Amino acid sequence: GADCDQCVPGYFGPDCSPCTCGPFGTCDDGVGGDGQCLCDNGYNSGGSVCVPANCTNNPSIAFMDVAATNCEGTFSGGTCTVVCLSGFEAVGVATCTLGEWSGGECVDVNECLEGLGACDVNAGCTNTEGGYNCSCNAGYTGFDCSLEACPQDCSGRGYCYNSTCHCYPGYKGVACERVACPNDCSYHG
């Protein structure tokens, strides 16, 4: 072709070759232009045409409480199934749109409402982010509040094991409340 003095918009170089950026970018056009594409946000130059940007291979960076993801493509329109940490459940699917992951999240499971909390009937259940806590009723102890507490907390003179006080040397009684007599008071008291 003949050399051009001036190219119409969308054409570049001395031969006024057509730009191929497509509708998602701007071409460095004109006689002095080189035809390079300046792509819109969310698009990359896939050779000489602007195409939707790919997402990273690991969208879990973008999500809280995610244990793993199972991705079916990092291209625009690709999806990832979100696998949540314990105490959370996945809602929706993450989708790659213009280089960004969106959708799909991990939401807290209310173990207390759903009957998943392991609190005994002698406890109140309080939901927490990713878990739950048991609050023991008076007279009960243990992680799930299923153990009867020792009387008077063993009076501070022993330790509680399986709802029974085990008294330190020199103390006795159901709650370790009495001082033990040396040598059983030589059987005189």
Side-chain angles (χ1 to χ4, degrees):
D3 283 346
C4 300
D5 290 334
Q6 192 172 0
C7 297
V8 294
Y11 291 83
F12 72 95
D15 293 336
C16 292
S17 300
C19 291
T20 57
C21 295
F24 305 110
T26 318
C27 177
D28 180 13
D29 57 10
V31 174
D34 61 6
Q36 292 292 314
C37 298
L38 176 62
C39 298
D40 296 344
N41 283 340
Y43 292 84
N44 291 327
S45 177
S48 61
V49 66
C50 292
V51 295
N54 289 338
C55 294
T56 61
N57 281 333
N58 187 2
S60 65
I61 297 166
F63 303 109
M64 289 183 58
D65 310 312
V66 172
T69 52
N70 180 17
C71 299
E72 297 171 11
T74 56
F75 52 88
S76 193
T79 61
C80 285
T81 303
V82 177
V83 180
C84 302
L85 295 173
S86 177
F88 296 87
E89 66 183 352
V91 176
V93 173
T95 303
C96 177
T97 305
L98 303 179
E100 297 288 329
W101 290 107
S102 62
E105 62 180 329
C106 293
V107 295
D108 179 52
V109 172
N110 187 332
E111 293 86 355
C112 299
L113 287 179
E114 297 187 20
L116 301 172
C119 297
D120 191 75
V121 295
N122 299 304
C125 184
T126 305
N127 187 57
T128 62
E129 187 80 9
Y132 64 95
N133 288 325
C134 299
S135 302
C136 300
N137 294 341
Y140 292 90
T141 189
F143 173 76
D144 63 354
C145 303
S146 62
L147 299 173
E148 285 188 42
C150 285
Q152 302 168 24
D153 200 24
C154 301
S155 305
R157 298 174 176 161
Y159 64 93
C160 185
Y161 180 74
N162 285 340
S163 306
T164 303
C165 285
H166 296 269
C167 301
Y168 298 138
Y171 299 97
K172 64 181 184 177
V174 174
C176 304
E177 73 279 9
R178 294 183 305 192
V179 176
C181 199
N183 298 322
D184 267 343
C185 296
S186 301
Y187 306 104
H188 297 292

